[in-house]
Every structure is written in C-alpha cells, then in structure tokens.
Amino acid sequence: MKALNRLFDLAAWLAAGFLIGTLAMVLLGIAGRLWPALALPGSDAYAGYCMAAAAFLALAPTLRRGEHIRVMLVLQRLPVPARRAVELAVHAVGLALAGGLAWFSLRLVWQSHAFHDISTGLDATPLWIPQLGMAVGTLLLVLALAVQFVEHLRGQPAPAAPGDEPARIE
C-alpha cells in the first residue's frame, strides 16, 4: 500500500506541475502578444495540454484522499448492509467505466503514435505526447478504484476528507 500511495502522491505532484505549466503557457501567450519576440507558437495549445494532463493525473489521488464529490442523501439513510451493497455496486460501475475510459485513452495514444498524428497548429506537436497524461491518469484512476473496491470488500471504510463533515443548515 505504501508504494501505491507514493505513486498516487507522485501523480498529484505531477498534476500540480502541469497546473504550473498551464500558468506558464498562458503567461507566455500574453507576453507574446505584448512583445512579439517572446511569442511561442502553440502556447494556447500547450496550455490546454497541460490543463488536461493536470485534470486526469489528479483523479486518482483525489479519490484516494476522499475528496471526490459524493452524494450522501440516499446512502446515509440506508441500513448498513444495504449501504455496503450500494457502495460495492457503485465502485464496480465506476471501475468498469474508468476501465473503458483507460482502454480507449491508451488506444488513442497508440493510434496517434502509429499514424503520426500531429496538432494542426504551427507547433506540429505529435499528439500522442500530450495524450499520455490522459492515458496515465485514467490508468491510475482504475488502480485507485480497484484498491478502494477491494477495501470495501474487506469492510474498510472509504477515506474521508480530513475535517470534512456534511454541512448542516438549520
């Protein structure tokens, strides 16, 4: 488990790095408009690539930390055995959906590499490179969902966000 947690932490750090990359590309795009000598062809595309990589790489660590949005209105009213069954079913469906997304993401990367697909902008970036962020992120999400599914099978509770309590409005 320690190795998996380190892997998920690495993904979180990479996601943070790609967010910084997004900021850098946006700032370079702005600077390029003000001072044409600093213009970087495709900086807007690179910002999008960085944003996509950040979003997908952050999925697994966010899930493992219990930070994904969960709708508890129904679950909290169910008896414990029914709640456990619903949690297992939801994790199984999530695992199947994430598995499909990972499969097609990996297939997209492979096809882009095999067909030498490049971006349509001036930068002519091979598209398999920015698509790797999505593929790796979805694979890590599948791994995180599988770990959580096994934890639920063993009766271990889902991780909760630290200090997170449902909002009470009176």
Side-chain angles (χ1 to χ4, degrees), residues 71-155:
V71 179
M72 299 296 291
L73 293 173
V74 174
L75 281 179
Q76 66 190 12
R77 287 170 173 59
L78 291 175
V80 174
R83 181 178 181 164
R84 185 168 186 267
V86 169
E87 292 261 0
L88 285 172
V90 166
H91 275 81
V93 169
L95 189 55
L97 290 172
L101 181 61
W103 167 257
F104 286 107
S105 297
L106 287 168
R107 190 172 138 206
L108 179 66
V109 170
W110 178 79
Q111 287 177 339
S112 293
H113 186 269
F115 298 129
H116 304 288
D117 202 8
I118 59 171
S119 66
T120 58
L122 293 173
D123 56 312
T125 302
L127 287 178
W128 68 270
I129 297 171
Q131 291 167 352
L132 275 176
M134 180 175 72
V136 170
T138 56
L139 279 174
L140 289 173
L141 178 62
V142 168
L143 183 60
L145 281 166
V147 167
Q148 239 179 20
F149 184 75
V150 170
E151 288 174 349
H152 276 296
L153 281 175
R154 292 180 178 168

Side-chain angles (χ1 to χ4, degrees), residues 21-36 38-47:
T22 303
L23 172 66
M25 291 299 110
V26 169
L27 291 177
L28 275 172
I30 292 169
R33 287 183 186 97
L34 296 174
W35 302 286
L38 295 177
L40 176 66
S43 64
D44 54 343
Y46 291 132

